[in-house]
Amino acid sequence: MRRLPDGVVEALHVAALLAVAGALAWATGRPLVFPSLGPSAYLVAVGSGRPTARELVGGHAVGVAAGLLSYHALAGGAVITDSLAATAPAGAHLAASAVASVGLTTAGMAALDARHAPACATTLIVSLGLLSSFADAAVVLVGVLALFLAAELGAVAGAALASSPAGER
């Protein structure tokens, strides 16, 4: 039997990981798929140094916490998608929130040894007002957990298939 090219296998793996969160998003109507989940799925499926649970879940949790803190302390009520005039105070508040959140996320991930670059995108999503309520923050973390659990289940299934004799597949 011919083996699929690595790029095809990787693409299918990333798609399968995101499909779990996508199905949950569709079923619940909540934004369980968000921009930084894609790079996380990519690193899980393709990266040479697959993120640990601490890095993946912990990094995003730090990003969410830093984003919430920064947004509510500095920019509460403003949203980056609003039409903001040049030099408008809301724009300055959002910029300060973004800068603070990435700095806090970086420091928090370092302190917890939970470095995960996509978490810096998560913190921007939150700190710029896109998913900035506490309910939204919980949804983000559920999406990350769905990705992590899908990856773990896939790893267990893959190991079981790899260890079974070829005739039993």
Side-chain angles (χ1 to χ4, degrees):
M1 186 168 161
R2 271 186 52 193
R3 183 168 143 64
L4 292 172
D6 288 345
V8 172
V9 172
E10 293 166 350
L12 291 171
H13 190 184
V14 170
L17 291 173
L18 281 178
V20 173
L24 288 171
W26 173 76
T28 63
R30 300 296 297 171
L32 291 156
V33 177
F34 45 90
S36 54
L37 201 59
S40 289
Y42 178 85
L43 289 174
V44 167
V46 178
S48 59
R50 183 175 175 219
T52 65
R54 168 188 236 119
E55 293 164 341
L56 178 66
V57 178
H60 282 287
V62 169
V64 167
L68 286 172
L69 177 66
S70 298
Y71 179 76
H72 291 286
L74 300 169
V79 181
I80 195 67
T81 58
D82 291 344
S83 180
L84 302 172
T87 71
H93 293 286
L94 285 168
S97 176
V99 169
S101 73
V102 172
L104 289 171
T105 298
T106 302
M109 289 190 301
L112 296 175
D113 194 23
R115 290 174 176 88
H116 184 62
C120 286
T122 296
T123 203
L124 287 172
I125 291 164
V126 176
S127 68
L128 292 171
L130 299 173
L131 294 173
S132 57
S133 74
F134 292 100
D136 290 335
V139 167
V140 167
L141 294 176
V142 168
V144 171
L145 285 172
L147 174 71
F148 172 72
L149 292 174
E152 290 299 302
L153 289 173
V156 168
L161 283 173
S163 67
S164 70
E168 293 180 13
R169 287 185 206 168

